[in-house]
């Protein structure tokens, strides 16, 4: 290695000496003359000296260009390695980044000053900022129905970051299998159309579902040059409680009659407590509040009996705030009618009177009972009666 360096230095020294050849030739080409003064040519000599100074300037400039040409030739023959100190990113091949941003309800969970969804967007923006020149980007928002946000390859990372800022989480769940299949189809289309021939890197931003994403990805057919990375967001120990279900019985609501609401509650990662506060709201107004017992598994139930006036009402069961408020409430819309319309059918009209009288008196006028003899059934529209 030492002798190779010594040889290279010697070659460079010879070429440096060659750069002096134009200077030597220039000096040797100068002619020595004797000067004889004639009074008659005094003005001619003055004009000659003036033009000669300008000519000498161009000679020196030509000499400089000749020297530079020799030096550049010597540098080229030395074959310097210009990119020896370049960054690793400048030497790697361009890649296509496919960002999969999970936008399911759980990504709304607040941890500190930011939600998991905003953390995902920040991580994606950081990758854009650190990307190498020539990298491309695609962005898909993962939900029940995956949606491409950037569906054609974008080469401007600044524009991609601006687009990421516009994304919002949803209240749906995410179908991991459907999202991965959608990404696989897009990659296959890109390869088939030769839109991108270099490596592809898929980055999935999700909360605590890394194993699910990896399992589905491993079962899906992808080209060998496609790599995957799951950026897992969120803390699994973050406390969360939610209203799992809200059921209303009966299915037909009549003004003045009691309605039973059955709610099932779930408490995850919460500190053990005997009771939890839950509220019943009618049309946005809290009408009842109670504390319910929570078992060791974090399950709880609450039943409510209410009577509502005629008209349409919004019934809601709400828990107190936590890290994810989106699942702390369940709502249902109920339509309360003034009375129930029923048909009383019998063969004998006399028998009908006794039954209809009993129904009307026993329901305090909440039933509109119509007597129908079997001979009239073919002419009666039975769908007009309540079940």
């Amino acid at each position: 290695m030492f002798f190779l360096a010594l040889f290279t230095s010697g070659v460079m020294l010879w070429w440096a000496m060659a750069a002096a050849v134009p200077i030597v030739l220039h000096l040797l080409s100068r002619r020595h003359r004797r000067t004889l003064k004639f009074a008659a040519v005094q003005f001619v000599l003055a004009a000659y000296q003036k033009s000669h100074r300008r000519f000498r300037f161009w000679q020196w400039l030509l000499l400089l260009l000749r020297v530079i040409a020799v030096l550049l030739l010597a540098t080229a023959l030395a074959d310097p390695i210009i990119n020896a100190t370049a960054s690793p990113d400048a030497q790697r091949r361009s890649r296509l980044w496919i960002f999969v941003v999970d936008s399911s309800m759980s990504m709304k969970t607040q941890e500190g000053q930011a939600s998991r969804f905003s953390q995902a967007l920040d991580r994606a923006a950081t990758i854009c900022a650190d990307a190498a020149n020539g990298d491309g980007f695609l962005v898909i928002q993962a939900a029940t129905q995956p949606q491409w946000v950037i569906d054609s390859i974008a080469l401007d990372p600044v524009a991609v970051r601006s687009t990421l800022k516009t994304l919002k989480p949803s209240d749906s769940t995410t179908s991991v299998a459907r999202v991965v299949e959608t990404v696989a189809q897009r990659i296959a289309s890109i390869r088939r159309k030769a839109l991108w021939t270099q490596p592809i890197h898929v980055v999935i931003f999700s909360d605590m579902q890394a194993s699910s994403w990896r399992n589905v990805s491993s079962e899906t057919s992808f080209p060998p040059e496609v790599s995957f990375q799951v950026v897992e967001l969120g803390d699994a120990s973050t406390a969360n409680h939610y209203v799992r279900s809200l059921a209303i019985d009966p299915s037909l609501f009549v003004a003045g009659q009691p309605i039973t609401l059955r709610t099932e509650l779930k408490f995850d990662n919460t500190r053990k407590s005997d009771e939890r506060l839950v509220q019943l709201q009618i049309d946005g107004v809290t009408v009842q509040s109670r504390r319910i017992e929570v078992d060791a598994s974090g399950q709880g139930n609450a039943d409510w009996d209410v009577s509502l006036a005629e008209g349409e009402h919004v019934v809601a069961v709400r828990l107190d705030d936590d890290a994810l408020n989106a699942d702390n409430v369940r709502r249902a819309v109920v339509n309360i009618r003034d009375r129930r319309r029923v048909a009383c059918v019998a063969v004998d009209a006399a028998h009908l009177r006794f039954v209809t009288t009993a129904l009307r008196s026993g329901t305090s006028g909440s039933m509109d009972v119509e007597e129908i003899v079997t001979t009239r059934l073919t002419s009666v529209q039975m769908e007009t009666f309540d079940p």
Side-chain angles (χ1 to χ4, degrees):
M1 192 68 181
F2 171 75
F3 292 105
L4 178 60
L6 183 62
F7 175 76
T8 303
S9 301
V11 172
M12 290 297 297
L13 180 60
W14 279 107
W15 277 107
M17 294 176 61
V21 173
I23 301 176
V24 175
L25 294 178
H26 176 78
L27 296 176
L28 292 178
S29 64
R30 299 178 61 184
R31 298 180 181 179
H32 300 281
R33 304 180 180 86
R34 289 190 308 164
T35 303
L36 299 177
K37 297 181 179 181
F38 295 91
V41 296
Q42 179 179 359
F43 297 103
V44 176
L45 289 176
Y48 170 77
Q49 291 176 356
K50 183 178 180 180
S51 62
H52 184 66
R53 284 194 295 270
R54 187 182 303 108
F55 179 71
R56 181 178 299 175
F57 167 77
W58 288 109
Q59 279 187 318
W60 283 108
L61 180 60
L62 179 61
L63 174 63
L64 178 63
L65 293 176
R66 288 172 176 171
V67 173
I68 292 175
V70 175
L71 291 177
L72 290 177
L73 179 61
T75 304
L77 293 176
D79 192 18
I81 302 176
I82 299 175
N83 62 344
T85 59
S87 64
D89 287 342
Q91 299 180 29
R92 72 166 176 82
R93 299 172 62 191
S94 298
R95 67 175 60 175
L96 174 61
W97 298 88
I98 301 180
F99 294 153
V100 180
V101 183
D102 186 358
S103 62
S104 58
M105 181 187 292
S106 61
M107 292 290 285
K108 292 182 178 181
T109 303
Q110 291 288 133
E111 294 182 345
Q113 300 298 320
S115 66
R116 294 173 181 173
F117 190 79
S118 62
Q119 293 176 30
L121 300 184
D122 290 341
R123 298 285 290 273
T126 300
I127 294 177
C128 291
D130 297 338
N133 292 332
D135 282 4
F137 301 90
L138 292 175
V139 179
I140 184 172
Q141 194 163 358
T144 304
Q145 294 294 335
Q147 180 179 4
W148 285 101
V149 180
I150 299 179
D151 58 355
S152 58
I153 299 175
L155 300 177
D156 184 0
V158 177
V160 175
R161 293 171 66 182
S162 299
T163 302
L164 288 171
K165 293 179 181 179
T166 65
L167 301 185
K168 302 294 181 183
S170 66
D171 290 332
S172 66
T173 58
T174 294
S175 174
V176 175
R178 183 174 298 174
V179 174
V180 173
E181 182 62 28
T182 302
V183 173
Q185 292 175 359
R186 179 53 57 90
I187 292 176
S189 175
I190 289 173
R191 290 305 195 203
R192 185 171 60 254
K193 298 177 181 179
L195 299 177
W196 191 272
T197 59
Q198 301 185 68
I200 298 176
H201 191 61
V202 180
V203 185
I204 301 169
F205 303 92
S206 186
D207 57 338
M208 298 174 290
Q209 301 182 46
S211 58
S212 299
W213 287 103
R214 292 192 181 98
N215 291 338
V216 175
S217 301
S218 62
E219 297 170 359
T220 307
S221 177
F222 286 99
E225 66 273 13
V226 177
S227 57
F228 279 86
Q229 176 187 357
V230 179
V231 178
E232 194 163 356
L233 305 164
D235 184 358
S237 63
T238 300
N240 181 47
H241 51 244
Y242 55 95
V243 182
R244 174 175 287 178
S245 64
L246 170 60
I248 304 178
D249 186 47
S251 59
L252 182 66
F253 311 107
V254 179
Q257 288 189 346
I259 301 175
T260 301
L261 308 176
R262 304 183 185 279
T263 55
E264 183 181 355
L265 312 172
K266 178 65 176 176
F267 301 86
D268 292 336
N269 301 321
T270 57
R271 291 178 297 178
K272 185 176 180 180
S273 177
D274 295 333
E275 296 180 340
R276 295 287 177 176
L277 179 64
V278 59
Q279 298 175 331
L280 174 65
Q281 296 179 340
I282 305 296
D283 298 329
V285 179
T286 301
V287 295
Q288 296 184 37
S289 296
R290 68 176 66 167
R291 292 188 175 275
I292 63 170
E293 294 184 356
V294 180
D295 59 24
S297 63
Q299 303 280 353
N301 297 280
D303 294 342
W304 318 77
D305 291 324
V306 295
S307 296
L308 301 175
E310 180 184 356
E312 190 175 80
H313 302 275
V314 178
V315 179
V317 176
R318 180 182 295 274
L319 292 168
D320 54 329
D321 293 344
D322 62 353
L324 180 60
N325 292 326
D327 58 1
N328 290 1
V329 60
R330 285 267 184 172
R331 297 180 177 88
V333 177
V334 293
N335 188 14
I336 304 298
R337 297 168 55 178
D338 59 341
R339 61 184 59 197
R340 176 182 296 186
R341 188 165 185 265
V342 298
C344 188
V345 182
V347 177
D348 188 355
H351 295 163
L352 285 174
R353 292 191 191 96
F354 293 104
V355 177
T356 55
T357 301
L359 287 174
R360 287 167 182 161
S361 61
T363 57
S364 302
S366 61
M367 282 192 181
D368 183 8
V369 183
E370 183 175 342
E371 301 175 4
I372 302 176
V373 180
T374 54
T375 56
R376 292 180 49 225
L377 283 177
T378 56
S379 61
V380 176
Q381 295 180 350
M382 299 302 296
E383 63 271 11
T384 61
F385 294 94
D386 296 318

